[in-house]
Amino acid sequence: RFKSLSEASFGGIGMHDKGVIIEANKQLSTLTGYSHVELIGMNGLLLIAPEHREFVMQRIMEEFENPYQVVGLRKDGSRYPLQIQGKQAPYNGKMVRVTEFRDVSQLEKMEIALSRSEAKYKEIVEFAVDGFLIGDPNGVVVETNSRFLEISGLSRGEVIGKHISSLFTTEVVSKTPLRFDLLDEGQTVVSERKLIRPDGKTTYIEMHSKQMPDKNYQSIVRDITDRVLDKAKISENEETFRRLYEESTDPILLL
């Protein structure tokens, strides 16, 4: 039964009595470079880098069952990141320990690559020309960038941890709802909103919002104050001209 289960495992498995290996699968031989014959009767601590052996032995004596990571040592002397997880099991009338060995080198490389990717992503977002907001599935802001703080006049502490609706007045939210229902359907929602800064100034923004695969919400925020004010000025000039046109008693020629 042990051989059937252990050979089907993706990890190296060894059965040992206080560290002395009494059974092992093929994967453990492949992982460590030792043959099956060499592994049987070997002190399993020799598969661990010297600086971690005392720690591993302590875990064995404590009958610790959660996975933990140390440095593994192969027959050729090469070292590698090793995840160990052991559990007590009955064998020939006594309790022994079954331990799984996993090489997590690829996992570490992926974590490093992910960390670098996240750092690069944050750097791009931080220096973006537009504001940036990330909200959790409940709509609470969990990340922003300097540009949004500049646009809104708010501090980071006044934005992070607050529901996105609290960034706007009740009147604004009522007039242009945040439409989480559309976001949840996978739609990108584009809206224009009025933002009242703490200094009393009014800023007009355009928001492009969408839901990400992890269910968080992402919004790109652009300051369109100049565009809105220019449009209002043009509208005001047109209204002035229309009034003068209608009130004038003199002939008017439009070219």
Side-chain angles (χ1 to χ4, degrees):
R1 184 184 300 173
F2 169 77
K3 286 184 177 180
S4 177
L5 291 173
S6 63
E7 296 304 338
S9 171
F10 291 104
I13 293 180
M15 181 182 288
H16 60 91
D17 184 7
K18 296 181 181 179
V20 178
I21 299 174
I22 56 180
E23 190 53 270
N25 68 351
K26 291 180 181 178
Q27 285 85 343
L28 187 59
S29 293
T30 302
L31 178 63
T32 64
Y34 289 96
S35 68
H36 183 267
V37 173
E38 290 174 313
L39 287 171
I40 303 304
M42 172 191 261
N43 183 347
L45 292 177
L46 295 178
L47 304 178
I48 310 298
E51 65 270 22
H52 292 287
R53 289 172 185 169
E54 183 178 346
F55 172 70
V56 172
M57 191 62 193
Q58 182 181 348
R59 286 286 187 259
I60 293 173
M61 299 307 293
E62 293 173 350
E63 299 183 1
F64 190 76
E65 295 190 354
N66 293 326
Y68 59 97
Q69 191 168 318
V70 293
V71 175
L73 190 65
R74 295 189 175 95
K75 183 178 179 179
D76 62 8
S78 60
R79 298 159 65 96
Y80 64 100
L82 171 65
Q83 179 179 287
I84 296 176
Q85 184 171 13
K87 188 172 183 178
Q88 301 300 111
Y91 179 76
N92 287 344
K94 63 178 180 178
M95 297 300 292
V96 297
R97 191 166 179 84
V98 178
T99 301
E100 182 184 48
F101 295 70
R102 282 188 180 271
D103 181 349
V104 291
S105 301
Q106 287 301 116
L107 180 60
E108 281 201 345
K109 289 179 181 178
M110 290 174 61
E111 288 176 344
I112 291 172
L114 179 61
S115 178
R116 288 176 178 172
S117 177
E118 289 178 344
K120 188 173 183 179
Y121 174 75
K122 286 184 177 180
E123 183 178 357
I124 292 173
V125 168
E126 182 60 26
F127 293 101
V129 295
D130 292 323
F132 201 82
L133 289 170
I134 295 180
D136 69 12
N138 295 315
V140 176
V141 181
V142 296
E143 192 56 79
T144 187
N145 66 348
S146 296
R147 179 55 180 153
F148 178 77
L149 301 181
E150 180 183 341
I151 292 172
S152 65
L154 299 169
S155 68
R156 186 176 180 81
E158 291 173 314
V159 176
I160 302 298
K162 305 296 191 302
H163 194 278
I164 191 169
S165 62
S166 69
L167 304 179
F168 307 97
T169 64
T170 304
E171 177 188 358
V172 169
V173 175
S174 176
K175 187 176 181 180
T176 51
L178 295 168
R179 299 309 305 267
F180 286 105
D181 57 327
L182 298 181
L183 294 172
D184 290 342
E185 292 175 1
Q187 297 187 41
T188 297
V189 177
V190 180
S191 59
E192 292 185 7
R193 302 176 185 281
K194 182 169 65 174
L195 187 65
I196 308 299
R197 293 166 49 98
D199 58 12
K201 294 181 179 178
T202 298
T203 299
Y204 294 92
I205 62 172
E206 181 179 78
M207 294 180 65
H208 290 249
S209 305
K210 67 182 298 183
Q211 188 182 62
M212 307 305 290
D214 59 4
K215 302 302 180 182
N216 284 336
Y217 300 102
Q218 174 181 294
S219 294
I220 297 174
V221 182
R222 177 166 295 177
D223 185 346
I224 59 169
T225 303
D226 290 343
R227 187 175 81 190
V228 171
L229 294 181
D230 287 345
K231 185 177 179 180
K233 187 174 182 179
I234 291 173
S235 178
E236 182 181 351
N237 290 339
E238 288 177 343
E239 176 61 25
T240 299
F241 175 79
R242 186 191 64 78
R243 180 172 51 81
L244 292 175
Y245 177 80
E246 291 178 349
E247 294 176 356
S248 176
T249 56
D250 298 319
I252 295 179
L253 177 65
L254 297 179
L255 299 176

